[in-house]
Structures are given as C-alpha cells and as structure tokens.
Amino acid sequence: MGAKERQYSILEWVREQEHVEVEDIARRFGVTTQTIRRDINRLCEQGLLRRRYGGVSLPTSASKSPLGDSKVRNLLAKQQIARRVAADIPENATVSLGVGSSIELVAQALIHHQSLRILTNNLSVASALSGNPGIEVIVSGGQYRHNDHDVVGPEVTNFFSSFITDYGIISTGSMDLNHGLMDYDIREAEVSRAIISNTRARLLVADRSKWTLNSHCKVASFKYVDRFYTDLIPANKRTELPDSVDIIECGEAEPVFDKQNPLSVSNL
C-alpha cells in the first residue's frame, strides 16, 4: 500500500472512530510508528486531522460527510471508481464537479491533492474539500435542494458557462445505448449539460447498475463523453459505445484490504 492510499485509509478510519492511537494505526498497516507519524504530519499540515492524546482526531470544525448517514447504492464500486478518477486528475487542474453521491465520493478522493481549483453546485463537494486549503472551491448560487444538499437553476448553468475547465466530471441517473445519459430531474440534466459544454475533458462516473435503471430526462449521448469510469461494463454494451469513448474499468483494479480493516468489503 502506497503512502497516499494509506493516508486516505487513516483519514477514513479516524472519521469513523473519531480518535485513533498512533500505535494502533501502525499495527493495522504493518509499518513503523515513525512512518505513521509522517503520514499524520502530512494530514495535519493539510488541516484534515489534529494530534491529540497520543493519536489523532478530526479537527474541531470537521463534520462527517452526509454520505456517512445514508445508504449509498453500490458504495464499494463507487469508491473504487472515485479513487481511480482522482488518481487521473493532475495537480493544478481546474475541475467542474456536478451532482450526486458518486461526485461527492470523487471529491473525497481528491482531498490529498495539493493544488486544485474546483467549480461546483454541490455543497457536499464543498464540505468534503473544506479541510484542504490547497484546494480552491468556487460554489455556484441557485435554488437549494434540502434532500440533495446542492443548488440548481439558471444561476448554476450560467455559472458553469462562465468558465472553461480542464476536467468536467459528471454522474448520471441511468444509461441507455440509444439515448445515452439520462437523469431523474430536468434541473440535474441541465447542470450536467452545462458542465459537458464548458470543459476540455468530459469524464463520466457511473457504476454498472445505471444500465438497469430508468430515468426520463435527456442529458447527452455517449459521443459527448471522453472517459467513462465504471466498475464493470457488459460486453454487449462495450461494443455499442462510440470508439471515441475511453472506457476505464475500476472494479478489479483496487487492492483487497485486510479483513481487520473497518473499511474492508465485509463492512461496507
């Protein structure tokens, strides 16, 4: 396990337990306490953790992500996809992030970047990135949706139309070979279209379950997707997608964590 992945796991563990001892972290990952202290120093420098009573805790201002209080469909697959997307985003990039739980997971996976500019209408994204001062977050105005913790409306589409970003990352409510990307709310579809129209690289994050769902608001055909990040794509779907779409399957690419790890498959 590399340092970045270990630091991400430490951060997630502390978010679950609220306080973790340095020696316990070292035992869990099979490394020295000196190595763990270097990881902790890095996370504390970014404002993501604070040292306390022989271990580490969350900063006083930190709060658990809304995802932690809800049941997210196919969480493990979405986390794997999010980590792969984050690994492909270079430092100093400008990134548009849209709506949905998959996008919030991408934001969480981006937390270790040192220098990014994020444009979003998703307040959960802003919250997930709030602990890292090296990431500039610009949030759109608009009509607040209580259940989704985001804003929608013409202010949002005008906001995204005011920039050209390096990467535009969207999710989708469902997928269809004939009609492409679909959403359940026309306002969500408008947000995704605005991101697609105002970015240099269009990234879709969607797990395989989206092929089996059914929504009715058109977003865009697959010809407007540059990279498609998914856990697994059925062979009959792959052959029908445009050759211009770079398909990146993430389901088998991630390491299997030890069973003692609270973030292992058995605990998700």
Side-chain angles (χ1 to χ4, degrees):
M1 178 183 291
K4 241 183 180 181
E5 184 181 352
R6 186 174 57 246
Q7 290 166 16
Y8 177 85
S9 296
I10 291 170
L11 181 59
E12 291 302 302
W13 193 16
V14 176
R15 282 176 175 167
E16 289 186 349
Q17 302 296 322
E18 296 186 2
H19 177 79
V20 181
E21 299 291 327
V22 170
E23 292 185 357
D24 291 339
I25 301 173
R27 279 195 296 269
R28 172 175 167 180
F29 293 104
V31 297
T32 65
T33 55
Q34 288 82 358
T35 296
I36 294 303
R37 287 193 177 95
R38 285 196 292 272
D39 289 335
I40 289 172
N41 287 341
R42 188 64 171 164
L43 293 168
C44 289
E45 287 170 2
Q46 296 177 39
L48 303 175
L49 295 177
R50 63 169 178 166
R51 298 176 189 84
R52 190 164 176 253
Y53 305 133
V56 284
S57 302
L58 290 176
T60 304
S61 60
S63 59
K64 290 189 177 180
S65 162
L67 286 180
D69 299 325
S70 61
K71 293 183 179 179
V72 178
R73 183 195 300 267
N74 301 321
L75 177 60
L76 177 61
K78 290 180 178 180
Q79 288 176 322
Q80 292 174 328
I81 294 167
R83 287 194 288 268
R84 177 58 191 273
V85 172
D88 287 349
I89 300 298
E91 296 289 351
N92 301 309
T94 301
V95 184
S96 297
L97 293 175
V99 299
S101 60
S102 293
I103 301 300
E104 182 181 348
L105 289 167
V106 170
Q108 291 178 7
L110 287 170
I111 193 65
H112 296 296
H113 279 61
Q114 302 306 303
S115 179
L116 292 175
R117 172 177 287 181
I118 303 294
L119 280 64
T120 189
N121 67 311
N122 190 332
L123 302 186
S124 295
V125 164
S127 177
L129 296 172
S130 62
N132 186 344
I135 299 179
E136 178 185 0
V137 181
I138 306 174
V139 182
S140 164
Q143 178 185 355
Y144 178 64
R145 299 194 300 175
H146 292 269
N147 292 337
D148 300 287
H149 203 47
D150 60 21
V151 292
V152 293
E155 299 92 342
V156 179
T157 54
N158 290 338
F159 168 77
F160 284 117
S161 297
S162 299
F163 300 86
I164 294 294
T165 58
D166 299 314
Y167 299 91
I169 306 176
I170 64 167
S171 186
T172 187
S174 66
M175 296 184 293
D176 180 274
L177 285 174
N178 292 323
H179 302 293
L181 316 183
M182 310 284 285
D183 256 319
Y184 295 95
D185 187 319
I186 187 61
R187 296 170 298 179
E188 294 177 353
E190 289 169 348
V191 170
S192 293
R193 284 199 294 268
I195 291 174
I196 287 171
S197 299
N198 296 282
T199 190
R200 296 185 177 91
R202 300 160 295 191
L203 280 54
L204 169 66
V205 294
D207 66 272
R208 75 185 90 173
S209 71
K210 298 302 177 74
W211 292 109
T212 65
L213 302 177
N214 185 26
S215 52
H216 57 275
C217 299
K218 291 183 179 180
V219 177
S221 69
F222 279 102
K223 71 178 183 179
Y224 293 101
V225 174
D226 297 311
R227 299 185 202 166
F228 175 18
Y229 292 83
T230 188
D231 52 337
L232 183 68
I233 184 167
N236 64 324
K237 308 293 186 184
R238 178 190 291 272
T239 57
E240 295 298 320
L241 291 176
D243 293 338
S244 59
V245 179
D246 184 11
I247 301 170
I248 302 169
E249 291 180 281
C250 310
E252 303 300 326
E254 295 296 326
V256 177
F257 293 105
D258 188 272
K259 290 184 179 180
Q260 298 301 316
N261 185 337
L263 297 179
S264 67
V265 174
S266 61
N267 288 284
L268 288 173

